[in-house]
Amino acid sequence: MLVEVIAFALLGGVASSHFGMADGARILAAYLVAYLVPKFVLSRARGTSTAASVVLLVLAIGLMTLSYINLLEWTSLEGYDLEIPNIKNDARGYYKWALYHYDGRVNPQYTVFKGFPLMMLLSWKLLGLSVIWPQAMNIMFTLTAVVLTGMTTRRLLAGRVSLPIDTLLTSGMLITCLLTYYLLSGIIILKEASVFLAISMSGYAMASMASGDDERYHPWRDIITFVVACVIMALVRTTFLYFIALGVVIIALPHWRRDWAIALGMLAALLITLFAGNYFAAYSFDQHADIAAGGWDMQVAYIDGHDPSRHAFRKLIGFYFLYSPWHKFFMLPLTLSLQFIAPFPWQAVGEDNIIFNYIIRFSYGWYALGGIALFYYLFISWRRHENMGAWAWWPAITYAIIAYIMAGSVARYALPFEPLFVPVVIYLICRLAEGHWRKAFKRWCIFFVILLTVTLVTCLEIQYSTISRMLHTPPLVHYLKDFLYL
């Protein structure tokens, strides 16, 4: 509690010095609520502990520090204010949509899914126009998603491994903190945090059907949690409801005689929210099918329409969205690999040299988590009495479907499902600690690290060579520039 008081007192003082007492107090209040809501969820969780609270506090301090740096860059450092910040890229579109419907001071803005800017608009109607409210809301959603990942890990593995439930919950949260791209994508002014929250809520609710112990965890509470998750997802990214439905089917199948009622209830609620959400979205069901099938519009939007620095990607993937389904299926090893390693763990071409861009590309935590999970799928998942059950197949199949549909071109679309691999990783680590598969795992680690290193070095060379040809300068110049900056 003392650390919490000191941290938020410092935040209030710094914010007041930059934005004045009134706005500083609003920033402090917004960040405080963003922390207290997930802290309350954690305090009510079975298996909560001081260690889990420490993980949440450290993570909150880190994310809020980076968020505040972003806030300064959007506002006072560039001559803007909290009402009209200098937000860029997709976030600018969401902000302008909400601002147009708030007071009409900007031109109307097109957006496919209106849920996130609608939340932004609602916060302004209640609290006044300021960028701090949606920013704090996304911090709150992201922190809550991390807590729910720990709770899901505890629910899935309690009774299956030797770790106590408090250690399972804390470990689930701690390993999720390694997913830097996931975490930092959740604190910017985009709908990602809402998607993260919806997936983590639905995953926690569905884990009751795959629980590691015999206790049935309040099925009505799980259904309510699931329905809320579906409503959020229907508003912010309706198409991801298909992946949640896939999870319900996969997880319920092994014990369908026991779980058919709760599964049908979940699917019925999901279907209602799917139709309701699609009514307010810009996409029709025919467009959903067109996205899955591909076509020239997808080719232009996701491959040919990208910036010149992705020329190597276009040469590698070709006219992917015009290929037959079987052709794309046999390209899955390539598209999965592209989706897995992106974003590359180095500065992207044309990005500002700020700490946020470096941290968001620190992908080694995901590489470690993904590499361990891959060992499970290749060597353990098919062993009938040694795997962790149907749950593990939900994130794996979903991850593959996204790679199939998007050619691995937008790794951000797979981000919401990365924390679902955390229980798989912890299960495998526990089994390794018990003495199982140690030699095979050591050999796999050596092979995986070598393969990943060669792949990243090759990609780095290709990218720098491509830039050098575009700018007519030797590749060494760009290597030295980035090295000296670091």
Side-chain angles (χ1 to χ4, degrees):
M1 185 178 295
L2 178 62
V3 177
E4 292 170 339
V5 171
I6 294 173
F8 282 98
L10 286 173
L11 170 64
V14 171
S16 297
S17 68
H18 285 138
F19 297 99
M21 289 297 295
D23 283 331
R26 293 187 185 95
I27 293 172
L28 175 60
Y31 280 27
L32 188 59
V33 172
Y35 170 68
L36 290 178
V37 170
K39 181 178 173 64
F40 174 77
V41 174
L42 180 60
S43 69
R44 302 284 294 176
R46 181 167 168 256
T48 188
S49 64
T50 302
S53 298
V54 171
V55 172
L56 177 63
L57 176 59
V58 173
L59 177 61
I61 291 173
L63 294 185
M64 289 178 183
T65 301
L66 293 171
S67 297
Y68 188 78
I69 293 172
N70 271 343
L71 190 65
L72 290 177
E73 291 175 347
W74 297 338
T75 55
S76 60
L77 294 182
E78 298 189 3
Y80 293 83
D81 57 27
L82 292 173
E83 290 191 0
I84 311 295
N86 186 29
I87 303 176
K88 301 174 183 178
N89 302 323
D90 292 346
R92 181 192 295 269
Y94 292 125
Y95 202 89
K96 289 181 69 175
W97 186 96
L99 195 57
Y100 169 76
H101 288 85
Y102 180 73
D103 60 12
R105 72 176 69 183
V106 296
N107 294 326
Q109 187 76 24
Y110 171 81
T111 185
V112 176
F113 303 112
K114 302 178 178 64
F116 173 64
L118 197 60
M119 295 180 193
M120 200 183 313
L121 176 61
L122 180 61
S123 71
W124 293 346
K125 293 291 187 181
L126 295 174
L127 303 169
L129 178 60
S130 176
V131 68
I132 188 60
W133 310 128
Q135 189 194 46
M137 178 181 68
N138 279 0
I139 295 172
M140 179 181 69
F141 287 169
T142 303
L143 291 175
T144 305
V146 174
V147 171
L148 286 169
T149 300
M151 294 167 62
T152 301
T153 302
R154 181 264 300 158
R155 174 173 274 194
L156 286 171
L157 300 184
R160 286 184 177 165
V161 296
S162 57
L163 288 180
I165 59 174
D166 57 336
T167 305
L168 287 173
L169 189 149
T170 305
S171 300
M173 294 174 59
L174 192 60
I175 292 181
T176 308
C177 293
L178 300 177
L179 305 175
T180 54
Y181 188 32
Y182 172 87
L183 294 173
L184 271 68
S185 295
I187 63 174
I188 52 182
I189 308 298
L190 292 173
K191 60 178 176 288
E192 309 317 305
S194 308
V195 178
F196 297 167
L197 178 64
I199 291 296
S200 62
M201 290 176 68
S202 61
Y204 175 73
M206 286 189 284
S208 64
M209 296 186 290
S211 176
D213 54 21
D214 295 329
E215 182 181 350
R216 301 296 292 163
Y217 294 87
H218 311 291
W220 285 109
R221 187 181 301 175
D222 290 332
I223 290 178
I224 292 172
T225 302
F226 184 85
V227 170
V228 173
C230 289
V231 170
I232 295 172
M233 189 65 81
L235 291 172
V236 297
R237 183 167 276 162
T238 315
T239 48
F240 272 28
L241 285 171
Y242 295 118
F243 298 130
I244 297 178
L246 176 65
V248 174
V249 173
I250 290 174
I251 296 169
L253 274 179
H255 304 286
W256 66 271
R257 293 182 184 274
R258 184 194 68 185
D259 295 326
W260 68 269
I262 189 172
L264 283 180
M266 287 178 170
L267 290 175
L270 186 146
L271 194 62
I272 293 171
T273 56
L274 174 64
F275 279 96
N278 200 63
Y279 177 80
F280 294 102
Y283 287 169
S284 65
F285 286 111
D286 289 339
Q287 286 172 301
H288 295 180
D290 291 339
I291 291 171
W296 184 249
D297 289 341
M298 293 286 287
Q299 181 74 22
V300 172
Y302 292 100
I303 296 182
D304 292 344
H306 277 301
D307 60 87
S309 65
R310 299 197 67 183
H311 176 70
F313 176 80
R314 292 199 296 274
K315 288 185 64 176
L316 184 65
I317 209 72
F319 292 95
Y320 178 86
F321 291 102
L322 304 181
Y323 296 153
S324 68
W326 278 111
H327 192 159
K328 290 191 284 188
F329 176 79
F330 286 115
M331 288 184 69
L332 259 181
L334 173 61
T335 54
L336 279 169
S337 300
L338 293 170
Q339 185 170 273
F340 180 85
I341 63 173
F344 292 121
W346 56 77
Q347 186 76 355
V349 180
E351 283 188 339
D352 297 330
N353 291 323
I354 60 174
I355 189 173
F356 186 89
N357 287 331
Y358 281 107
I359 295 177
I360 203 170
R361 293 182 175 278
F362 193 83
S363 305
Y364 302 105
W366 162 242
Y367 296 157
L369 187 147
I372 296 172
L374 194 55
F375 177 83
Y376 170 85
Y377 290 109
L378 290 176
F379 301 102
I380 311 301
S381 61
W382 48 271
R383 299 176 187 267
R384 184 173 181 182
H385 298 294
E386 297 183 4
N387 62 53
M388 66 169 290
W391 166 274
W393 290 109
W394 177 32
I397 294 174
T398 300
Y399 199 85
I401 291 173
I402 294 172
Y404 173 89
I405 294 175
M406 303 307 303
S409 61
V410 187
R412 181 161 50 92
Y413 291 165
L415 276 181
F417 303 95
E418 287 184 1
L420 300 180
F421 291 102
V422 170
V424 180
V425 169
I426 293 179
Y427 174 79
L428 179 59
I429 291 174
C430 290
R431 298 292 282 161
L432 290 170
E434 294 168 2
H436 301 273
W437 319 306
R438 287 186 177 180
K439 290 183 179 179
F441 183 71
K442 289 178 182 177
R443 290 193 293 266
W444 166 255
C445 287
I446 295 171
F447 170 78
F448 180 77
V449 170
I450 293 174
L451 179 63
L452 181 63
T453 302
V454 171
T455 302
L456 289 175
V457 170
T458 303
C459 292
L460 181 65
E461 176 61 31
I462 291 172
Q463 181 168 345
Y464 276 103
S465 298
T466 303
I467 299 168
S468 299
R469 286 195 299 271
M470 291 166 53
L471 301 179
H472 307 290
T473 55
L476 183 61
V477 172
H478 305 287
Y479 282 116
L480 289 176
K481 179 182 175 183
D482 282 0
F483 176 77
L484 291 173
Y485 179 80
L486 287 171

